[in-house]
Amino acid sequence: MDKRNVDVVVISDVHLGTYGCHAKELLRYLKSIKPKTLILNGDIIDIWQFSKSYWPESHMKIIRKLMKFVSEGVQVYYLTGNHDELLRKFDGMEMGTFHLQNKLILEMDGKKAWFFHGDVFDVTMQHSKWLAKMGAVGYDTLILINSFVNWVLTAFGREKMSFSKKIKAKFKDAVKFINSFEQTAAELAIEKGYHYVVCGHIHQAEKRQISTDDGQVTYLNSGDWVESLTALEYQNQNWTVFKYEYQNFIKDELEEGILSDAEDLKSKLDVNILLQHIKYEIAQ
């Protein structure tokens, strides 16, 4: 498959280290593009639910692919989210073309773009973090059950279904929260004079214009790689929402030999050890 040139790619809410993460699909996508800038907008590694007992090779390959981008000179920005908030103490750290930050402002073709994860707008995160963490465990369990149900449905030739989307659709408060999240992000961006505001966190990809009495802004959300399998792409002065479609990728690309990177980065970076060190540093 020929690689597509893309000026800027934004992904978020990958949740590496959880059962719901679609690491193989994400790796396929990353191998299909040639970005100049890659923005990882929070919750890439799920440190909340990190366990040494679950870190499959497919998740490690994502880390190796990201490091390969850095070795190739791609500007990679890792913006922290709530599930990887332990990294926030390292805000401003740089290693070559890799940047670890809590937020990011870029000028894109004469327009300013404001990138941040978005959990700052989540009242549950601010006041009941223990409840949010319990909800994260419950969500991961729901996704695991949903995966099994979809496997059965597919085996019988039925269409897949999303438990979480059905639940969100039935609860008005969930829809209200999403609308409030988008409006708040837009209002702040307009107040600060930005043309684009780019978030993650709510697992719902979006691109739309939001207007207030003070102006308008393009609100964008990169969605997630748990259910939606979406990303944002910026090329030719235009933003688009990329949606992963299985039929557009050749299955043979998932074979071990094709997916393995030439560099043996695994021997240089053990993510289990790295995350354990981070947890230890925060605990001190």
Side-chain angles (χ1 to χ4, degrees):
M1 178 183 293
D2 293 333
K3 293 187 177 182
R4 294 185 296 110
N5 291 309
V6 188
D7 287 339
V8 180
V9 171
V10 185
I11 62 173
S12 68
D13 301 274
V14 177
H15 294 277
L16 291 171
T18 66
Y19 293 103
C21 172
H22 282 74
K24 291 181 179 179
E25 290 80 1
L26 176 57
L27 187 58
R28 273 178 150 182
Y29 170 64
L30 292 176
K31 282 183 168 288
S32 74
I33 58 174
K34 190 176 182 181
K36 293 179 181 177
T37 300
L38 175 63
I39 300 172
L40 310 171
N41 201 1
D43 290 0
I44 304 303
I45 300 175
D46 198 322
I47 300 177
W48 272 9
Q49 301 183 73
F50 173 71
S51 171
K52 289 187 292 185
S53 63
Y54 187 74
W55 187 268
E57 179 63 16
S58 60
H59 292 212
M60 189 64 225
K61 285 178 178 177
I62 296 296
I63 300 298
R64 293 208 296 270
K65 180 58 183 174
L66 296 177
M67 293 188 68
K68 193 167 186 290
F69 276 139
V70 172
S71 71
E72 294 170 344
V74 177
Q75 295 294 324
V76 177
Y77 294 90
Y78 191 122
L79 308 184
T80 55
N82 50 302
H83 285 253
D84 46 21
E85 64 180 351
L86 295 181
L87 299 175
R88 284 180 172 162
K89 67 176 293 186
F90 302 105
D91 179 31
M93 184 184 77
E94 295 186 357
M95 293 186 295
T97 60
F98 176 82
H99 315 267
L100 178 62
Q101 300 175 198
N102 294 334
K103 58 185 177 181
L104 173 67
I105 298 170
L106 288 181
E107 185 165 321
M108 308 170 68
D109 297 309
K111 296 182 178 181
K112 288 185 177 180
W114 184 27
F115 302 83
F116 62 99
H117 185 61
D119 56 293
V120 67
F121 300 144
D122 195 330
V123 175
T124 305
M125 274 299 308
Q126 301 303 316
H127 302 288
S128 303
K129 191 171 291 186
W130 65 271
L131 185 60
K133 290 185 177 181
M134 284 183 63
V137 174
Y139 177 73
D140 196 37
T141 303
L142 181 67
I143 293 298
L144 187 61
I145 296 172
N146 200 169
S147 297
F148 173 74
V149 171
N150 282 336
W151 178 82
V152 174
L153 289 174
T154 302
F156 284 91
R158 302 283 297 277
E159 186 177 347
K160 292 182 179 180
M161 62 184 297
S162 170
F163 287 176
S164 69
K165 287 182 180 179
K166 286 184 177 294
I167 292 172
K168 288 177 184 177
K170 287 184 177 295
F171 288 93
K172 293 182 180 180
D173 286 346
V175 177
K176 184 179 179 181
F177 167 76
I178 291 173
N179 291 335
S180 176
F181 177 98
E182 295 175 349
Q183 189 67 30
T184 301
E187 289 174 357
L188 284 174
I190 292 171
E191 182 182 319
K192 293 175 179 291
Y194 299 128
H195 299 88
Y196 307 115
V197 57
V198 188
C199 301
H201 187 57
I202 58 174
H203 291 214
Q204 183 158 313
E206 184 65 87
K207 174 195 172 183
R208 68 185 181 98
Q209 291 291 123
I210 297 180
S211 300
T212 69
D213 293 336
D214 299 318
Q216 67 174 14
V217 69
T218 300
Y219 166 83
L220 299 127
N221 197 297
S222 45
D224 68 281
W225 284 84
V226 175
E227 288 190 280
S228 303
L229 280 62
T230 54
L232 292 170
E233 297 183 349
Y234 181 80
Q235 182 72 4
N236 298 323
Q237 301 184 31
N238 182 52
W239 283 102
T240 57
V241 175
F242 171 87
K243 169 111 176 121
Y244 182 92
E245 299 290 350
Y246 290 89
Q247 62 270 24
N248 294 335
F249 292 82
I250 302 173
K251 291 183 178 180
D252 290 343
E253 291 184 12
L254 286 177
E255 292 181 358
E256 181 67 25
I258 297 176
L259 288 181
S260 297
D261 293 320
E263 296 84 0
D264 184 18
L265 294 176
K266 183 178 181 181
S267 62
K268 300 178 183 178
L269 176 65
D270 187 324
V271 175
N272 292 336
I273 295 175
L274 175 64
L275 292 179
Q276 289 296 330
H277 277 301
I278 291 173
K279 281 190 171 183
Y280 176 77
E281 288 290 334
I282 297 299
Q284 300 307 304

